Amino acid sequence: MEKFVITIGRQFGSGGLDVGRMLSDSLKVKCYDKELLAMAAKESGLCQEIFENHDEKPTNSFLYSLVMDTYSVSGYTSAPFLDMPLNHKVFLAQFETIKKLAENESCIIVGRCADYALAEHLNCLNVFIHADKEFRINHIMDTFHLSHDKAADMIHKTDKKRASYYNYYSSKKWGDARSYHLTLDSSHLGLEGCCEMILNYMDIRKKNLHK
């Protein structure tokens, strides 16, 4: 079977990770979320705690295109990489880990600009999961045992960080339907419904490719 990757962008509290895990069970492939941090840390030689502290957080440092130009010389051991701001090191290490995963196995990757990292991948499906605010607040209240106001505040801050991170590094707009193949509303479809829709989309796309 040809290797494939499903990337999942998600609003906080929409259940995107849960959908990823459901797909993992259905398709018998791994779902990567925070596991990517440990893998990238091992590959780059940086401490895993650094990755956790910088995970999907925005930056105001110099232009990413400049970083990519200097990084492309000779990887992690090159002077440009060693001299680079820490947040760029973290992003690039994750970027490389995502690309290696996609080369070696079929998998599902949640967040972390995976759709951008795999822009050249021929068999990659990019999905974004969103939901009504009250649905997300209730989900976060149940998950983290928070009050309504604290859950709402957590959602606002997390979404803001994710959007800033994605928009900065990918030069696209987080949550914009044009950035993805498929966008789904989990508050209307339910998590199982989102999983079913993604599987159906994969089947339809496969049929169209072989016409």
Side-chain angles (χ1 to χ4, degrees):
M1 184 178 176
E2 188 179 358
K3 292 188 186 72
F4 66 87
V5 181
I6 301 171
T7 72
I8 300 179
R10 71 287 185 225
Q11 285 185 318
F12 189 59
S14 66
L17 177 57
D18 297 315
V19 172
R21 288 170 175 161
M22 288 178 186
L23 288 168
S24 173
D25 290 339
S26 296
L27 295 167
K28 307 303 179 191
V29 300
K30 290 182 180 177
C31 176
Y32 293 98
D33 177 39
K34 290 190 179 295
E35 298 85 354
L36 278 169
L37 307 183
M39 295 171 70
K42 186 177 179 181
E43 288 284 332
S44 65
L46 297 172
C47 173
Q48 185 175 339
E49 188 177 356
I50 292 171
F51 283 83
E52 291 169 356
N53 289 337
H54 287 78
D55 188 29
E56 290 190 297
K57 290 181 181 176
T59 178
N60 294 313
S61 192
F62 59 88
L63 291 175
Y64 170 65
S65 58
L66 176 63
V67 180
M68 286 302 288
D69 289 341
T70 56
Y71 170 72
S72 62
V73 180
S74 59
Y76 296 127
T77 58
S78 67
F81 180 79
L82 296 174
D83 294 339
M84 202 179 285
L86 193 55
N87 50 354
H88 286 297
K89 290 180 183 180
V90 169
F91 176 80
L92 289 170
Q94 288 186 100
F95 190 93
E96 289 300 312
T97 298
I98 288 166
K99 289 172 73 173
K100 284 182 182 178
L101 275 174
E103 286 174 12
N104 295 325
E105 63 182 89
S106 293
C107 59
I108 296 143
I109 302 175
V110 179
R112 294 159 189 92
C113 289
D115 59 316
Y116 177 60
L118 301 177
E120 305 296 320
H121 196 288
L122 296 177
N123 199 11
C124 183
L125 171 60
N126 302 318
V127 179
F128 190 84
I129 308 291
H130 59 99
D132 293 344
K133 190 170 183 180
E134 282 304 312
F135 174 93
R136 295 193 289 139
I137 288 172
N138 288 330
H139 185 72
I140 295 304
M141 286 171 67
D142 291 341
T143 303
F144 296 101
H145 308 293
L146 296 175
S147 67
H148 185 282
D149 288 348
K150 285 186 177 179
D153 184 59
M154 192 175 182
I155 285 169
H156 174 73
K157 288 177 178 175
T158 305
D159 278 354
K160 188 175 180 180
K161 285 190 295 185
R162 286 179 180 174
S164 297
Y165 178 86
Y166 183 90
N167 296 348
Y168 179 83
Y169 282 113
S170 74
S171 301
K172 297 194 292 180
K173 188 175 180 182
W174 184 76
D176 188 326
R178 293 169 295 182
S179 296
Y180 311 91
H181 297 112
L182 189 63
T183 60
L184 300 170
D185 186 337
S186 59
S187 55
H188 288 267
L189 290 169
L191 301 183
E192 290 183 359
C194 287
C195 181
E196 187 178 340
M197 289 286 283
I198 293 166
L199 294 172
N200 288 341
Y201 186 99
M202 289 178 72
D203 287 339
I204 293 167
R205 191 164 82 161
K206 191 185 296 182
K207 289 173 185 175
N208 287 338
L209 287 172
H210 290 94
K211 278 185 179 179

